[in-house]
Amino acid sequence: MTAVEVTHYPMRIGGQDVDTTMWREIIDPADESVVATVAMGTAAHIDEAVAAAKATFDAGVWSGKPPAERAAIMHRIAAAANDAIESLVELEMEANGATVRQATGFHVGYALSHFTYFADLAESYAWQRPAARTTFPALAQFTIQREPIGVVGAIAPWNFPLLLTLWKVGPALAAGNSVVVKPDEHTPLSILAFARIAEENGLPPGVLNIVPGEGRDAGARLASHPDVGKIAFTGSTEVGREIMRLASGSVKKITLELGGKGPSVVLDDADLDMAVDGVLYGCFVYSGQVCESGTRAIVPRSLYDEFVERLVERAKTIVVGPTRDWDTDMGPVIDAEQRDRILEYVAGAEAEGATIALGGKAVTGAGFEKGFWVEPTILTGVRNDMRIAQEEVFGPVLSIVAYDGDDEAVAIANDSPYGLAASVWSTDNERALAIADRIRAGSVWINDAHQINCQVPFGGYKQSGLGRELGPDALDEYTETKTVHLDLSGGRERKPYDILLSHAGD
Ligand code: NAD
């Protein structure tokens, strides 16, 4: 198949398809086929999109609608997107190599149900609430109002393109903002399709604009544009730092969802059958390309050999294969660069003294001639100060670190620049909860992994991020707070203006 035979996707700006001579091939990581071409916007296209978004915001075509009306339109969009779920799943998985099981459930199923949650929030959110009624210096009533910020810029990564973009677009729209999305350059297809569905179902043109483009060009312009009031970013910690710097010029509000190096703390009273499966699930889902993955298993020295043996035997049953096969457990990684980077990390770990207990290589042989494949890899003898235990690999690589005693387990878990998520495995809830209290991470799951629920906040401690997405307060991050004071004193004579105007009668 050549590039000219596949569908070409223009940008979506101001309710119009906008094309350019610069375009990029979208590659299926499972077989390296070209699945689409997409127009690549530049800083100038971002300027156009921000202007379109600002015009809609200023005109009040969305920002001026009552929240219940916004909610009704968002529900209509979610229903229409649900009707198109099969094509959204296809667009999602062909660009990022997710397996069909994962793309259907996690990537698109969650994305649409979370969007529905934000539509509900538009109705239940406390847009206005009475606050203090004061009598000093004069009788007055305060009201606290939440109002949309204006233009929100959303910059997304490739790993869950639709889900992580809708975590930003959902609350931004629910709050009445207009939005410009800069998707990752690998994976713009599903959000381009979603924007079209949104416009066909009542979202005014120009409220949601999608500009695929390079991070350093289009992304950087969005993060620094003076008319953008807030930037919501998910991606690497390194780029997150750059976003902070770029946003500082116009003092934008920011939320950052960044990297992780999650600990899975196995206590010596854990149900080992569950812990073994849970630790594997925590690390190898989506070939480890998940920010909240548990990539460090922290295991009691007394159980180390037994745990590793059981883990390796169970991991051998993970079926790596074609993404469209419903029997496949694990698909490819995103591109050749990422595959090579993962393998370099494994080689580096070996050089530092770790042992490869399973995997450690690219998958080869029949069916794997094309695409970017890495074996599920388990490393033993890892010390927490090794690079493999400190840095985010973003691949199917699990490091097993030994500990003696709960205090050391907690110390190892916390010895990381990251603090996104952790898990604790134990049959004693009280003990596990006490450990959870001591772990410095935004989410701690006891006897489970990857438990992200739209009804509770998600985000990171330390260098894993800033602010929170999801949960009942998600709209806080997409609104300004205004305090309105209404004088109830009834006249000039009750006012304390003599503080200044004491000579008025002289
Ligand atoms: P990345 O940081 O390389 O890219 C993310 C986005 O930022 C892309 O759209 C990219 O084009 C853009 N970008 C790159 N440079 C930019 C710049 N200078 N200015 C503005 N935008 C720029 O991340 P990635 O490789 O796409 O995704 C993987 C990373 O994302 C991992 O570190 C992972 O942990 C993290 N992640 C975090 C979460 C979370 O919720 N905490 C979720 C998913 C992924």
Side-chain angles (χ1 to χ4, degrees):
M1 203 184 281
T2 66
V4 286
E5 292 165 347
V6 298
T7 308
H8 178 72
Y9 289 77
M11 297 169 257
R12 196 75 188 159
I13 300 176
Q16 305 288 324
D17 286 341
V18 175
D19 218 339
T20 156
T21 49
M22 291 214 300
W23 49 271
R24 178 187 166 108
E25 290 179 338
I26 303 298
I27 307 287
D28 184 338
D31 61 11
E32 299 176 52
S33 60
V34 178
V35 294
T37 57
V38 69
M40 290 294 277
T42 60
H45 294 106
I46 291 288
D47 288 353
E48 228 179 282
V50 172
K54 186 171 182 308
T56 61
F57 186 80
D58 292 346
V61 292
W62 183 250
S63 53
K65 285 193 193 308
E69 212 175 304
R70 292 202 295 266
I73 293 172
M74 288 177 69
H75 278 297
R76 212 155 69 218
I77 295 167
N82 258 311
D83 290 343
I85 196 159
E86 281 176 15
S87 64
L88 288 172
V89 166
E90 184 58 28
L91 290 176
E92 181 91 356
M93 57 184 291
E94 66 185 10
N96 73 356
T99 62
V100 62
R101 268 159 40 201
Q102 184 190 313
T104 308
F106 274 12
H107 290 242
V108 181
Y110 270 21
L112 301 184
S113 68
H114 291 189
F115 190 76
T116 303
Y117 175 76
F118 294 124
D120 288 339
L121 265 191
E123 287 187 279
S124 62
Y125 191 65
W127 294 103
Q128 193 176 56
R129 58 181 203 275
R133 175 173 278 232
T134 59
T135 53
F136 181 83
L139 186 64
Q141 173 69 51
F142 284 96
T143 305
I144 300 169
Q145 289 174 200
R146 307 292 305 221
E147 298 180 354
I149 294 169
V151 178
V152 168
I155 302 179
W158 49 262
N159 63 340
F160 291 88
L162 190 62
L163 178 73
L164 297 178
T165 306
L166 293 189
W167 281 9
K168 297 156 183 56
V169 170
L173 292 182
N177 298 284
S178 294
V179 185
V180 177
V181 175
K182 206 300 283 174
D184 189 87
E185 36 280 59
H186 295 82
T187 52
L189 305 184
S190 49
I191 189 64
L192 279 165
F194 183 89
R196 200 172 277 276
I197 291 170
E199 285 171 15
E200 286 164 2
N201 286 278
L203 191 71
V207 173
L208 175 58
N209 305 275
I210 316 291
V211 183
E214 296 290 342
R216 259 173 289 176
D217 180 11
R221 178 60 180 157
L222 187 58
S224 60
H225 197 296
D227 288 337
V228 171
K230 185 221 160 84
I231 282 285
F233 171 79
T234 298
S236 60
T237 296
E238 187 189 351
V239 176
R241 283 190 203 102
E242 178 66 3
I243 298 284
M244 273 183 113
R245 198 184 64 73
L246 292 166
S248 69
S250 52
V251 194
K252 292 184 204 328
K253 289 159 182 50
I254 47 174
T255 39
L256 302 174
E257 297 287 357
L258 309 177
K261 193 74 203 177
S264 300
V265 180
V266 179
L267 299 186
D268 55 14
D269 61 1
D271 169 342
L272 285 195
D273 286 337
M274 183 162 72
V276 163
D277 280 10
V279 166
L280 291 177
Y281 174 67
C283 183
F284 292 121
V285 155
Y286 195 16
S287 306
Q289 302 171 117
V290 187
C291 53
E292 83 273 4
S293 291
T295 49
R296 293 181 294 149
I298 299 174
V299 176
R301 202 174 302 278
S302 58
L303 287 178
Y304 195 89
D305 291 344
E306 181 188 353
F307 192 79
V308 168
E309 194 181 319
R310 292 173 67 162
L311 206 60
V312 167
E313 284 315 304
R314 194 78 171 111
K316 285 179 184 165
T317 68
I318 294 173
V319 176
V320 181
T323 48
R324 281 169 184 75
D325 187 335
W326 283 86
D327 287 333
T328 293
D329 297 323
M330 209 179 94
V333 299
I334 187 71
D335 57 20
E337 190 186 342
Q338 182 60 9
R339 175 199 56 206
D340 296 347
R341 188 173 163 268
I342 294 165
L343 297 177
E344 273 167 31
Y345 265 109
V346 173
E350 243 192 324
E352 276 195 274
T355 302
I356 299 174
L358 182 74
K361 301 187 297 299
V363 184
T364 50
F368 298 99
E369 297 86 353
K370 293 273 187 177
F372 316 113
W373 304 90
V374 178
E375 295 172 338
T377 298
I378 296 178
L379 300 173
T380 56
V382 175
R383 288 187 328 271
N384 202 57
D385 62 356
M386 291 178 179
R387 191 166 163 241
I388 194 76
Q390 288 293 313
E391 296 182 13
E392 185 181 51
V393 177
F394 229 54
V397 181
L398 176 63
S399 297
I400 323 277
V401 183
Y403 74 85
D404 295 300
D406 288 5
D407 286 348
E408 195 188 8
V410 170
I412 292 171
N414 288 336
D415 177 16
S416 170
Y418 297 111
L420 189 58
S423 65
V424 181
W425 301 85
S426 170
T427 48
D428 180 342
N429 284 349
E430 217 168 298
R431 184 175 171 211
L433 284 164
I435 299 279
D437 283 350
R438 297 170 65 192
I439 292 181
R440 307 276 301 157
S443 296
V444 184
W445 303 301
I446 296 171
N447 293 324
D448 219 325
H450 293 301
Q451 290 306 302
I452 294 178
N453 185 305
C454 58
Q455 300 180 70
V456 291
F458 178 72
Y461 281 34
K462 300 191 268 183
Q463 294 184 35
S464 286
L466 201 59
R468 293 291 179 268
E469 293 189 304
L470 306 178
D473 306 324
L475 269 54
D476 289 1
E477 305 270 12
Y478 292 85
T479 48
E480 294 276 18
T481 304
K482 180 183 280 176
T483 299
V484 177
H485 159 274
L486 177 64
D487 172 63
L488 299 172
S489 66
R492 166 65 184 90
E493 64 281 4
R494 306 277 168 90
K495 302 285 190 157
Y497 296 162
D498 294 350
I499 287 173
L500 174 72
L501 302 169
S502 56
H503 302 292
D506 292 355

